[in-house]
Structures are given as C-alpha cells and as structure tokens.
Amino acid sequence: MLRSSVSTHQKYGSLGLLVLQTTTLVLTMRYSRTQQAEGPRYLASSAVVCTELLKIAACTLLIFRDNSKSLVHAMNQTLWDEIVSKPLETLKLTIPSGIYTLQNNLLYVALSHLDAATYQVTYQLKILTTALFSVSLLGKRLGNYQWLSLLILMTGVVLVQWPSDLTLVPELENLSAGTQFMGLLAVLVACFSSGFAGVYFEKILKESKQCVWIRNIQLGLFGLAFGLTGVFAYDGDRVLTGGFLQGYNSITWIVVLLNVLVKSV
C-alpha cells in the first residue's frame, strides 16, 4: 500500500515537473524571439546547433556515469563500439534526425509568429499525429475513449484558431493574418514531423538493444550535421557578417539549456 502511494506521488510529481518544464520552455522561447534588444536577434538555426552540441555532451556524461570503468576506456568501448563499429545501426537514425532538426527550426518560426497560448494548444496536435502513426507503423490499437479524447483535442484546437477580435488580446494586436498563418503552418508541419519521427524512433529502440543515451548521441551527431547545413544554407551571409553567436544573451542560453533538458531526459 505504501509503495503504491509513493509510486502514485512520483507519477503526479513527474507529470507536474513535465508540465512546468514544457510551459517554461515555450514562454521563454516566445520571449526570446520577441524581446526588444539592441543589435540583431539571434539565429534560430544556430540555437538548434548549440542544442545538439550540448545534448551530445550531456548524453556522453550520462554514459560515463553509468559506466564503472575509466573515462577513456568508457569512451573507447561504449562510444566507438556502439556508434562507429555499427554503421548500419547508426545510419538508421538519419531519417528521424533530419526530421527532428526540421521540427526544431519550425518551432522557433512558429513562436516568432504566434502567441504562446495559441502555439501551446495547437502543438498538442502532435498527440493526434503520434497516435495515427502509432496505429499505422506500429500496429497499435486505440480504444473508443482514446479516439474520443483525440476528437475532443481536435475540437479544442479548431476553437482556438476560430477568428476573434485581435484587439481584445494585446499580444495579438501586432500579429497580422499572414504572420499568424505562417506560424500556424509551421506548427502543423512540426506536429506531423514530431509524430512520425517519434514513432519511427520508438520502432528503432524496440528493434535494438542499444541504450537511449547512445541513440540520442547518434541522433545528435546527424542533427548537428543537418543543423550546420541549415545554418550556412539559410543564414550563411548573416553568420559571416555578425558571427555564429550573434544576438545571444542570457535568455537565449536559457532557451538552449531548456531544450537540451527536454531532449535529453
């Protein structure tokens, strides 16, 4: 009885922590993209790259923590044997990694063009897309109550997007219809990419015995390559002019660290 009570408290505690973590990330990202500051605004593409770099470092430290052997031996044995010596297993992560990189960039675009509340509610459509991809790719079955919950979720998202008087919400006064449409489109694409990549990644985890930290490092390595390609393809001129870390401040680094926390645990 005591164990059951402790387990229940842990579940609710974990849920509350997850809600707090996600909400803090969204609000901080929104503020970082709209704050009035001197100089240029930071590049979202470079923030994605920094997140991948720190995620790789964090997962590597977690592997070292779980390894009782020396640091050098752990690196040689775990990272080399599990990543370099298994190229086919590593290459499987190219698809979800590329999709995740696209998704991470789209979320910055969305929060630059939508208010935090609309973004947060609309992005919950990823629950629907994840469920649909789980049914189609993993063969899962959903009960009647689960389908009803998804229907209620869709209804809620539609109601949030229903036309209203923008002057009643101060944060929306400066957002034009075109701006909001761009943000909405970015969120919708991110929802579908998140659903597919998440289910595909789950399928890979079930088919292999590698730990999730190794898989996160593999994702991070490919994400780093895709991210750097995006930086120099879309923001190359600005990087050459103002530098890779132009516009960075304490809020930007908090956003990056929060993203690392969300993606590493």
Side-chain angles (χ1 to χ4, degrees):
M1 186 69 178
L2 181 60
R3 289 184 179 179
S4 176
S5 178
V6 172
S7 177
T8 301
H9 287 310
Q10 288 178 341
K11 289 180 181 179
Y12 283 115
S14 299
L15 178 60
L17 184 61
L18 178 62
V19 172
L20 177 63
Q21 176 181 296
T22 305
T23 304
T24 302
L25 174 60
V26 171
L27 293 176
T28 309
M29 285 180 66
R30 169 64 181 170
Y31 176 72
S32 72
R33 300 303 292 170
T34 58
Q35 66 175 329
Q36 300 295 327
E38 296 181 0
R41 185 166 62 179
Y42 73 92
L43 303 176
S45 57
S46 71
V48 171
V49 171
C50 289
T51 300
E52 296 298 335
L53 275 172
L54 293 178
K55 184 182 76 173
I56 294 172
C59 291
T60 303
L61 290 175
L62 289 170
I63 291 175
F64 293 157
R65 184 199 64 179
D66 296 336
N67 198 304
S68 59
K69 301 177 182 179
S70 68
L71 184 67
V72 177
H73 191 278
M75 179 176 290
N76 289 336
Q77 181 177 348
T78 306
L79 299 183
W80 181 270
D81 292 350
E82 296 294 334
I83 297 178
V84 180
S85 299
K86 297 180 180 179
L88 293 180
E89 289 292 322
T90 302
L91 287 174
K92 289 181 181 180
L93 275 298
T94 54
I95 295 176
S97 180
I99 295 175
Y100 276 134
T101 304
L102 172 65
Q103 172 197 333
N104 292 335
N105 281 280
L106 286 174
L107 295 184
Y108 280 99
V109 173
L111 279 168
S112 300
H113 297 84
L114 290 175
D115 63 286
T118 302
Y119 163 86
Q120 185 76 317
V121 175
T122 308
Y123 191 47
Q124 299 313 306
L125 275 179
K126 67 180 181 179
I127 300 174
L128 172 64
T129 59
T130 301
L132 295 177
F133 283 119
S134 295
V135 170
S136 59
L137 297 180
L138 299 180
K140 290 185 176 181
R141 294 184 178 181
L142 300 180
N144 293 332
Y145 286 111
Q146 291 172 312
W147 284 115
L148 178 60
S149 299
L150 293 175
L151 178 61
I152 294 174
L153 173 64
M154 288 185 60
T155 304
V157 172
V158 171
L159 290 176
V160 168
Q161 299 301 330
W162 197 267
S164 59
D165 188 356
L166 298 183
T167 59
L168 298 178
V169 185
E171 189 179 357
L172 302 182
E173 288 185 12
N174 297 325
L175 297 178
S176 64
T179 295
Q180 292 190 72
F181 176 77
M182 182 180 296
L184 179 61
L185 182 62
V187 172
L188 292 178
V189 175
C191 287
F192 278 93
S193 62
S194 174
F196 177 78
V199 172
Y200 188 91
F201 187 48
E202 180 182 349
K203 185 176 182 181
I204 292 176
L205 287 176
K206 289 182 176 180
E207 294 175 350
S208 68
K209 297 181 179 180
Q210 287 180 318
C211 72
V212 67
W213 309 128
I214 292 292
R215 287 305 192 185
N216 277 335
I217 292 175
Q218 292 170 322
L219 279 175
L221 290 173
F222 286 115
L224 184 61
F226 289 131
L228 285 172
T229 301
V231 168
F232 290 102
Y234 296 102
D235 296 317
D237 293 337
R238 284 191 283 179
V239 170
L240 293 176
T241 303
F244 187 81
L245 299 178
Q246 60 179 288
Y248 274 59
N249 53 33
S250 58
I251 299 298
T252 310
W253 286 113
I254 290 174
V255 169
V256 171
L257 292 175
L258 286 173
N259 270 302
V260 172
L261 181 62
V262 169
K263 295 173 174 58
S264 299
V265 297

